[in-house]
Amino acid sequence: MKYLENVLHGESWSATGGSWTNNLEKEFAKKFGVKYAVAFNSGTSTLHAALEAAGVGPGDEVISPALTVIMDTTATLHANAIPVYADIDPETFTIDPEDIKRKISPKTKAIITVSLYGLSPDIDPILDFAKKNSLIVIEDNAQCVLGTYKGRLVGTLGHMASYSFETTKHISCGEGGMIITDNEKYAEIMRKIGGHGFRNLRAGEGRVRLNQDIFQNPHYKRHDVLGWNYRLSEFNAAVALAQLERVEELVHLRIKSAEIFMDAMSGCNYLVPQKVPDGYTNSYYTLGVIYNGEEEIGVSWEDFRRAYIQEGGDGIYGAWSVPYLEPMVSERQFVKRCPWVYAKIGYEKGLCPIAEKIQPKLMQFKTNYRGIGLAKKKASALRSTINRFSL
Ligand SMILES: Cc1ncc(COP(=O)(O)O)c(C=O)c1O
C-alpha cells in the first residue's frame, strides 16, 4: 500500500518516466544474479519479444512442449513462426530432450522449454544440442520461481528466461512479466520491441525521456526499431517489487502446501504426483498429479473432484488441452495471418502421444494458499475423499 501511494503521488505512472519499473528490474536481476531484466506487461509479450531477439521470423520453426499453456504457441505465431511440438516425459511431464532431437529441421531457430508446474525440464541435454545446432533456448518460467536444476538456479540456464506476474503466479501484480538474460544485445532488442522501438532505449534503461532537450527537439528521430507497447505500468511494478521482496516466503508457502497435499495422498495408488528428479527443486506453482482412479477404483475424474468439494476441498484444476488440439490451432485459424508461411501447416491428433494420454488424467492441486493452516484443512478434505473411496 505504501509503494502504491508513492506511485500515485509520483511524477510518472509510466515506465517511460518513472523509477518503479527500473527498480523492479534491478532487484529482479540481482535476485537471479544476471546482468539484465526487462519488465513487460505479461508473460506472453515477454515470449514474443524473446523470439524476436532470437532472430525468429516468418517461416522459422520454434519447438515447444506438447503440455503447456497456449501462450507458447501464440507467441510463436505472433513472430510469424511455425510451432513444432515435442512430447513430454511421462513422469516429470516436462519436455523430452530426445523428442526435441527428433523434431528438429533445418528451419528450427529456437526452443522454448517450459518449467511445468514449477519444475525445470532436463535442460542440460537440450542446451548441448542447442549449442551444436546454433539454436536459442528460451526458458518459459512463468510457473517457476527460484526452482533449481542440478544445483543451478532455474532462469540462468538458457539464453533468456521469461516470467509472468499474472494473478495466479508466485510473484503477482495482476498482469505483468519479466525477461532476464546476460546478453546485452538481446536485452536491448527486447526492450525496444516492448517499448515502441524508441531509439534511446538501452538494455538496462527503460526510461525514454532522460534528456528532455534531445527528446523534445522537433528534428529528433525517435524510433529505429519496429516495436509495440508491452510496458509494465508503475503501479504494477510497485506491487511486483513488494512481492519480490518477500519471494522466498511466497515460494516456501507453495512448496510447503504441496508437501502437505503429497503427504495426504501418500499410500494412495491412484494419485501419482509429478516426479521431481534428484538435484531439482520444484517451486510448485501447482501440484500436478496423474489421476488413475478411473482404472483403479472405478471413479471418474469429475466424480472424484465433486467428492473432494463435498468434503470441503477446493482447487482441483484440469490441465489445459495439448495446444495443437485447441480449436484455434487444430482448425488452422492462424493460417490467415500469414498464408504464405502457414498454407501447408496443420496438426493432427497423435503427434505427441504421451502428452495426449496424460493431459486428461492430470489434476492440478492449488498451492497458492494464504497460509499453511488453510492448506492443511484442504489436504485433510483430500484425505477424507481418499478414505471415502477406499471403504
Ligand atoms: C507456462 C506459462 N507460460 C506463459 C504464460 C503466460 O503468461 P501471461 O498470462 O502473463 O501472459 C503462463 C501463464 O498464464 C504460463 O503458465
Side-chain angles (χ1 to χ4, degrees):
M1 293 300 285
K2 197 170 79 197
Y3 288 3
L4 280 174
E5 213 169 294
N6 269 315
V7 181
L8 203 53
H9 295 301
E11 288 276 303
S12 172
W13 290 353
S14 161
T16 54
S19 59
W20 289 88
T21 306
N22 207 267
N23 287 343
L24 170 67
E25 290 173 344
K26 292 209 158 45
E27 290 305 315
F28 205 93
K30 208 194 289 172
K31 181 66 70 189
F32 283 84
V34 294
K35 290 193 185 138
Y36 304 101
V38 185
F40 280 78
N41 59 3
S42 80
T44 306
S45 50
T46 47
L47 293 170
H48 174 222
L51 288 170
E52 297 263 353
V56 170
D60 292 332
E61 293 181 355
V62 175
I63 300 178
S64 60
L67 186 67
T68 181
V69 292
I70 197 71
M71 297 74 156
D72 300 293
T73 298
T74 50
T76 302
L77 293 170
H78 202 31
N80 290 326
I82 301 167
V84 172
Y85 300 94
D87 213 340
I88 57 163
D89 177 279
E91 293 183 300
T92 63
F93 318 148
T94 54
I95 195 164
D96 173 8
E98 290 306 312
D99 205 39
I100 293 179
K101 291 180 189 164
R102 288 189 282 269
K103 299 291 169 61
I104 191 170
S105 88
K107 290 199 263 178
T108 312
K109 259 279 177 50
I111 302 168
I112 301 178
T113 61
V114 175
S115 298
L116 194 85
Y117 300 152
L119 181 73
S120 172
D122 184 12
I123 204 164
D124 272 348
I126 301 173
L127 295 174
D128 269 1
F129 181 69
K131 197 166 177 192
K132 283 189 196 116
N133 292 280
S134 307
L135 306 175
I136 302 295
V137 177
I138 300 162
E139 294 178 54
D140 180 354
N141 291 335
Q143 302 184 359
C144 180
V145 178
L146 304 185
T148 63
Y149 170 80
K150 298 184 182 171
R152 285 130 70 197
L153 190 57
V154 178
T156 61
L157 309 171
H159 295 90
M160 295 168 256
S162 167
Y163 292 85
S164 163
F165 302 148
E166 175 270 335
T167 194
T168 64
K169 302 301 190 303
H170 293 82
I171 296 173
S172 168
C173 58
E175 304 287 355
M178 187 71 79
I179 196 126
I180 58 175
T181 183
D182 273 330
N183 184 307
E184 184 177 4
K185 190 178 99 211
Y186 294 154
E188 183 171 315
I189 295 172
M190 291 189 291
R191 175 94 62 199
K192 289 190 173 193
I193 296 283
H196 289 309
F198 274 112
R199 187 169 120 186
N200 56 344
L201 287 172
R202 293 288 168 266
E205 179 57 67
R207 288 169 292 193
V208 290
R209 298 194 196 102
L210 289 175
N211 186 330
Q212 291 291 341
D213 286 340
I214 295 174
F215 200 77
Q216 299 308 341
N217 186 314
H219 303 294
Y220 178 64
K221 300 283 185 283
R222 298 167 187 220
H223 308 279
D224 63 355
V225 161
L226 174 60
W228 290 265
N229 185 354
Y230 288 162
R231 289 186 302 246
L232 190 70
S233 94
E234 289 283 277
F235 292 102
N236 293 59
V239 175
L241 181 62
Q243 298 241 310
L244 180 65
E245 285 168 356
R246 49 188 282 258
V247 65
E248 278 86 4
E249 175 199 336
L250 294 170
V251 171
H252 174 74
L253 195 55
R254 296 217 190 203
I255 294 176
K256 197 78 208 137
S257 299
E259 284 170 357
I260 290 167
F261 273 90
M262 282 188 283
D263 203 36
M265 60 182 79
S266 70
C268 172
N269 68 335
Y270 57 87
L271 289 171
V272 187
Q274 180 180 29
K275 179 179 169 185
V276 181
D278 286 346
Y280 293 53
T281 314
N282 189 336
S283 71
Y284 284 114
Y285 164 68
T286 183
L287 172 63
V289 174
I290 295 187
Y291 176 73
N292 285 325
E294 196 112 23
E295 302 90 315
E296 298 293 332
I297 53 167
V299 177
S300 71
W301 191 104
E302 293 81 356
D303 283 346
F304 187 88
R305 181 173 182 274
R306 215 167 289 127
Y308 175 56
I309 292 167
Q310 281 165 5
E311 293 289 345
D314 72 1
I316 293 180
Y317 302 92
W320 343 266
S321 167
V322 295
Y324 58 82
L325 296 181
E326 291 285 355
M328 183 280 285
V329 184
S330 62
E331 292 168 12
R332 304 178 73 238
Q333 282 181 33
F334 55 86
V335 174
K336 60 181 178 289
R337 73 172 278 127
C338 199
W340 56 276
V341 166
Y342 298 122
K344 293 189 180 143
I345 304 295
Y347 303 88
E348 298 287 333
K349 206 167 183 319
L351 202 56
C352 295
I354 301 171
E356 287 179 29
K357 182 166 170 229
I358 286 177
Q359 179 272 332
K361 290 166 161 274
L362 279 169
M363 287 186 166
Q364 301 174 165
F365 284 87
K366 176 175 162 148
T367 54
N368 60 335
Y369 289 104
R370 281 180 187 254
I372 292 297
L374 192 54
K376 281 187 176 156
K377 211 167 134 199
K378 301 298 175 183
S380 140
L382 177 63
R383 191 69 238 174
S384 307
T385 315
I386 294 167
N387 290 344
R388 188 202 280 203
F389 291 119
S390 63
L391 293 178

